Amino acid sequence: MPSPDDPLCTVEDRLYVSRALDLARYATEHGGEPFGALLFCEGEVIAEYSNCVRSTGDITKHAECGLISAFSPKIDRDKFLKCTLYTSTEPCAMCCGAIYCSGIGRVVYGTGQGPLLEIFGEPVRPNPLRSREILARISPHTRVFGPLMEAEGIALHKEYWPGGGLSILSQAVHLPE
């Protein structure tokens, strides 16, 4: 069941989470998994990225990490601090590390980790480590908001991972013998 929208999110936040969901849909149409992210700064979208883990074979090409990796040579840390990173799904621990390293000042996510883990068929954890907690510890200047438009994100993930994400992911991983 989707959580209610974070009441601290704005109409503008809704617009850009919607765009992140569009980027997630784009990813699924182009060999990626359903995750998208964009960077908004000083009144404009300055970067967009869709997950391309499967198409590249690079497990670090999550939407958030891929965006930061591709655009950090072009954006200095002072500008990152002024930016909002919009993501279709709550950032994982790896992506939180990239957010910390870049210095991004604000994150708004669509679907939370809980519903995603349920879709994957993982057992519900009594006290999951959330991006808000990770970033509060390693990057206290980064403000985190979400979930926002979680029902739309859940629908997208259920469509992509119909048999449960873990079974699909395990089939995609081929380890050498």
Side-chain angles (χ1 to χ4, degrees), residues 18 20 25 29 33 50 61 63 65 76-77 80 88 94 99 102 108 139 142 147 156 158 162 164 175 177:
S18 178
R25 285 182 199 89
E29 296 163 2
E33 295 170 347
S50 295
K61 292 300 182 187
C65 279
D76 66 34
R77 197 165 166 83
F80 267 127
S88 61
M94 177 181 71
I99 292 165
S102 69
V108 180
S139 185
T142 303
L156 176 63
K158 281 185 175 178
L175 298 176
E177 302 203 13

Side-chain angles (χ1 to χ4, degrees), residues 38-49:
L38 64 96
L39 199 59
F40 181 84
C41 193
E42 300 173 331
E44 67 178 318
V45 174
I46 61 171
E48 295 186 334
Y49 203 88

